[in-house]
Amino acid sequence: KKMEAVATRLAWPSIAVGAALAVYNLQGINVAKARGQYNIKAPATTGHIEFEKAFRIHQNTMESLVTFIPSIYTSALFWNPILITAIGGVFVLGRFAYGVGYQRDPRQREAGAVTSAGASAALLLTSVFGAFKYIIKRGR
């Protein structure tokens, strides 16, 4: 019963995590395509501006997943998992917009960066606050 309750709470955010990982993997495919198109041999990470943009988009998304993934799952344990998943959806849309904007012109990445960072910060805060609330409520 307890495991089923936990699984039910975590199923919803798994949708957002899956979408975030799909965006990340698509960005990785873009890196591979750019590597071939601009003849950038591994392990090089520089050599053509279009490759470098694709590489940075992918790397920056990976860096953001480090906070996003644990925060969304932890938040879903303490708050409404559907609401938490919606915040996760905002993160995913932000990362997608970040990538599209950055690829066009690095100066156009800001809206996506701010959107995804805001969603990630909200998840981190709800995660920590939820844990503190739970500990205080239980008296331990």
Side-chain angles (χ1 to χ4, degrees), residues 11 18 21 28 31 45 48 56 63 73-74 79 81 100 102 107 119 127-129 136 138 140:
L21 293 174
V31 173
T45 57
H48 191 283
R56 287 308 313 149
E63 293 162 5
Y73 280 123
T74 307
W79 307 101
V100 170
Y102 199 131
R107 294 172 293 190
S127 177
V128 172
F129 184 69
I136 290 168
R138 295 204 27 118
R140 296 181 200 166

Side-chain angles (χ1 to χ4, degrees), residues 112-129:
V114 169
T115 299
S116 61
S120 189
L123 292 169
L124 180 59
L125 290 172
T126 56
S127 177
V128 172
F129 184 69

Side-chain angles (χ1 to χ4, degrees), residues 48-137:
H48 191 283
I49 190 66
E50 294 304 316
F51 166 77
E52 292 171 16
K53 289 190 294 186
F55 183 80
R56 287 308 313 149
I57 291 164
H58 188 242
Q59 289 299 117
N60 288 25
T61 296
M62 179 183 61
E63 293 162 5
S64 69
L65 291 172
V66 172
T67 302
F68 170 72
I69 292 173
S71 295
I72 193 170
Y73 280 123
T74 307
S75 294
L77 292 174
F78 303 114
W79 307 101
N80 181 314
I82 297 171
L83 174 62
I84 295 302
T85 301
I87 297 170
V90 171
F91 172 86
V92 172
L93 292 174
R95 290 318 300 172
F96 183 80
Y98 170 85
V100 170
Y102 199 131
Q103 199 66 55
R104 284 186 188 144
D105 179 345
R107 294 172 293 190
Q108 293 182 13
R109 73 187 189 276
E110 188 174 336
V114 169
T115 299
S116 61
S120 189
L123 292 169
L124 180 59
L125 290 172
T126 56
S127 177
V128 172
F129 184 69
F132 276 122
K133 187 179 95 168
Y134 179 80
I135 290 167
I136 290 168
K137 186 177 178 181

